[in-house]
Amino acid sequence: MIKAENLSFSYTGSPPYVLDGINLEIRDGEYVSVVGENGSGKSTLMRLILKFIKPTRGTIELKAKRIGYVPQKNDFSNSNFPITVYEALNSYRKISRIKDKSVIAKNLEQVGMSKFAGALMGTLSGGQSQKILIARALMGNPDLLILDEPSTGVDVGSQKEIYSFLKKINDESSITIISVEHNLDAAISNSTLIYHLTGGSGHLCSPQQYADEFLKNKGR
Ligand code: ADP
């Protein structure tokens, strides 16, 4: 799905590099949580995958046919802008040139938000807004779903629902998921692989290896 070779990026075009010589291969159907300290380059890597920015050196290949992107919950969902959930999804549908209107009801149902179709976006809780952002990202039937810290500003109950939903669509529809995570418990229990970014480079490991390493370092 994704192959990065000797991938480096610097916002100035010269050293120091935020990402420095990354080699990463993510196969179809994986659920990868990207973890690392603040400033370690997680968002930069997502921007490179999404082709919002170009590598300074090296290459990144992406085989996804359709990408769904769940940004960090932004002000839009909490604003007083008087737009309903249905209207918000419908305008996204039109922009994305998706003809079939029934995807809105279908996706709202998938994330358990059917009864909020007529609710104003500004009245939704953090968890509800996040579910709407996920429903929106799934509207184009993506084979790759990218999420940026999906549990930020989300209550614990909704976090559980969101993570089990992500696990379910990864298992059942074999959609590839890449999620920037600061919720390490979720990363360990939900993903098939963890990509740990530190000091400009990263390594891919199993959730179990990551948990062992994390506990060992904590014990020091
Ligand atoms: P993370 O997502 O892990 O917190 P980021 O990818 O946002 O890390 O940032 C990595 C580094 O790049 C940080 O030092 C940050 O200050 C810097 N950075 C991020 N975005 C920009 C930008 N648009 N211009 C210049 N520097 C940036």
Side-chain angles (χ1 to χ4, degrees):
M1 177 59 76
I2 290 170
K3 191 172 187 182
E5 283 184 316
N6 195 27
L7 177 68
S8 299
F9 185 83
S10 145
Y11 281 96
T12 57
S14 53
Y17 289 93
V18 175
L19 302 174
D20 195 0
I22 279 187
N23 291 298
L24 169 67
E25 189 166 356
I26 297 175
R27 292 176 197 281
D28 293 1
E30 299 283 7
Y31 179 156
V32 182
S33 292
V34 178
V35 304
E37 303 275 310
N38 269 345
S40 59
K42 302 182 294 297
S43 303
T44 303
L45 179 61
M46 292 309 115
R47 285 182 209 132
L48 284 161
I49 293 173
L50 289 160
K51 303 209 184 292
F52 292 165
I53 53 177
K54 283 189 182 152
T56 309
R57 279 193 278 121
T59 56
I60 182 153
E61 251 180 72
L62 179 64
K63 294 230 172 81
K65 291 190 197 85
R66 293 170 303 276
I67 302 176
Y69 177 50
V70 182
Q72 264 195 37
K73 252 182 333 88
N74 52 24
D75 294 335
F76 170 70
S77 50
N78 297 320
S79 73
N80 292 321
F81 194 56
I83 182 169
T84 65
V85 165
Y86 186 88
E87 286 162 350
L89 292 180
N90 198 35
S91 59
Y92 184 82
R93 179 189 66 81
K94 287 183 195 161
I95 293 165
S96 313
R97 298 207 177 95
I98 299 164
K99 291 207 177 94
D100 182 8
K101 275 192 182 173
S102 71
V103 293
I104 299 174
K106 190 184 112 208
N107 286 17
L108 280 176
E109 193 189 341
Q110 257 198 319
V111 297
M113 288 291 288
S114 296
K115 60 177 190 238
F116 291 89
L120 290 175
M121 290 293 292
T123 63
L124 301 182
S125 71
Q128 291 165 343
S129 308
Q130 190 64 279
K131 289 176 191 169
I132 298 302
L133 286 175
I134 293 172
R136 185 180 80 167
L138 292 173
M139 233 159 31
N141 197 19
D143 47 351
L144 172 64
L145 182 67
I146 295 183
L147 303 104
D148 198 348
E149 301 199 347
S151 61
T152 300
V154 174
D155 62 278
V156 176
S158 300
Q159 284 187 26
K160 275 194 186 149
E161 289 167 6
I162 287 170
Y163 284 114
S164 68
F165 175 69
L166 293 174
K167 185 96 189 121
K168 181 168 166 249
I169 57 170
N170 175 247
D171 284 345
E172 291 175 5
S173 336
S174 56
I175 180 168
T176 307
I177 295 181
I178 302 178
S179 182
V180 171
E181 275 303 342
H182 67 268
N183 182 336
L184 299 182
D185 287 338
I188 290 167
S189 59
N190 234 33
S191 42
T192 57
L193 288 168
I194 291 189
Y195 189 61
H196 184 196
L197 266 175
T198 173
S201 56
H203 77 280
L204 206 54
C205 61
S206 71
Q208 187 59 52
Q209 279 169 327
Y210 181 75
D212 292 346
E213 227 174 89
F214 184 74
L215 288 175
K216 200 172 77 190
N217 290 338
K218 227 177 153 189
R220 263 188 204 150

